Amino acid sequence: MFFEDAQEAAHALAAFLEGKRTIVVSGAGTSTDAGLPDYRGTGTTQEPSIDFNMFVTDPVWRAWVWQRNHETWRQMLRMQPTPAHHAIAALERAGLVSGNATQNVDGLDRASGQDNVWELHGSFATVDCIDCSTRFPREEYGELLSALNPGWPETDELPVILAPARRADAERSTFRVAPCPRCGGIVKPSVVFFGEGLPSEAMDGAMSAATAADAVLVVGTSLQVSTGMWVMRQAWAQGGPVAIVNRGATAGDRFADLRVDAGASEVLERTVELLGA
């Protein structure tokens, strides 16, 4: 079944979810209403990203990543969960959703009250020392960055965008990076860079939940990144039907029993109302 009308889709999705224990696989489309880019639209770049090896071996790239991270951090703190996040939390409380395997790193899933959240790509809320493996709150590390870079940024209204691997811009940066306060090592955001391993605890939890699920609901992701696709296919391989709610085509459309081409918030909010959740 295919729907573009949000109201019709909500009725179909409510019937799909009723009486099942569903795992959610979510992506950036659940956070666009909060002001975050979907990484395939506003805020994206066709230029290569800075991968893990570039970050670790080159202080120029490292400073550029932390500059962009520091410039957007305060905006991230002000962002609030969207109706899509709250709808997933309501479905979890109602026993219809077992948890959310999210590709997002913004923390809005947990902020909405969701309990079982597997952050497949890490979290913006913490930082890790590569050398001693200590994890720190992002706020704590932010204080160190602010002390080294007083008055930076001059405005907190900069757009939340990715830091492209643009060498000329990186070399012009005068941003200073703080070492690990424990061992003096290299600190990186607790998000998964290209070329870096996935967080095993999150992946194991998500795959286990997908194995036990009756169905899978994909929300706000094109599934072009393989992590979300792995979780979806694990549930599908156990015989679980698949519902996908996303604007635009996805890599998982061929698996979908129910396909909705509409916004995540409007569809999920109405679905929750219909289910009385």
Side-chain angles (χ1 to χ4, degrees), residues 250-262:
T250 82
D253 284 352
R254 66 187 184 276
F255 300 98
D257 299 276
L258 172 61
R259 177 69 174 92
V260 179
D261 196 326

Side-chain angles (χ1 to χ4, degrees), residues 29-54:
T30 61
S31 295
T32 51
D33 292 343
L36 286 166
D38 62 7
Y39 305 108
R40 298 190 187 280
T42 303
T44 64
T45 173
Q46 297 301 312
E47 297 174 88
S49 298
I50 297 166
D51 64 28
F52 180 73
N53 186 62
M54 294 163 68

Side-chain angles (χ1 to χ4, degrees), residues 152-275:
W152 196 313
E154 295 180 357
T155 175
D156 58 3
E157 298 301 326
L158 293 165
V160 178
I161 60 173
L162 302 176
R166 193 178 300 139
R167 188 70 186 187
D169 289 346
E171 289 178 343
R172 282 194 295 269
S173 175
T174 59
F175 195 79
R176 298 176 65 193
V177 178
C180 171
R182 178 177 176 179
C183 75
I186 295 173
V187 177
K188 68 174 285 291
S190 301
V191 298
V192 177
F193 284 42
F194 285 106
E196 186 178 12
L198 296 169
S200 58
E201 185 175 349
M203 284 301 301
D204 290 346
M207 295 297 276
S208 178
T211 301
D214 300 318
V216 57
L217 169 60
V218 177
V219 182
T221 172
S222 65
L223 294 173
Q224 295 295 330
V225 178
S226 57
T227 46
M229 178 67 94
W230 289 338
V231 178
M232 186 217 76
R233 290 199 64 166
Q234 180 68 12
W236 172 80
Q238 310 306 312
V242 177
I244 299 178
V245 179
N246 188 65
R247 290 193 185 279
T250 82
D253 284 352
R254 66 187 184 276
F255 300 98
D257 299 276
L258 172 61
R259 177 69 174 92
V260 179
D261 196 326
S265 285
E266 58 182 337
V267 174
L268 292 187
E269 191 172 35
R270 179 57 178 150
T271 300
V272 166
E273 292 174 357
L274 291 170
L275 288 167

Side-chain angles (χ1 to χ4, degrees), residues 48-91:
S49 298
I50 297 166
D51 64 28
F52 180 73
N53 186 62
M54 294 163 68
F55 180 87
V56 171
T57 61
D58 192 330
V60 172
W61 288 128
R62 193 152 60 245
W64 177 233
V65 167
W66 275 118
Q67 176 188 322
R68 294 301 301 121
N69 185 286
H70 198 57
E71 287 170 345
T72 60
W73 171 244
R74 285 183 291 183
Q75 291 182 83
M76 294 281 285
L77 288 178
R78 290 200 300 267
M79 291 178 178
Q80 298 297 314
T82 68
H85 294 118
H86 287 299
I88 294 169
L91 292 169

Side-chain angles (χ1 to χ4, degrees), residues 120-132:
L120 306 181
H121 294 165
S123 172
F124 207 80
T126 56
V127 302
D128 296 313
C129 176
I130 294 171
D131 295 277
C132 70

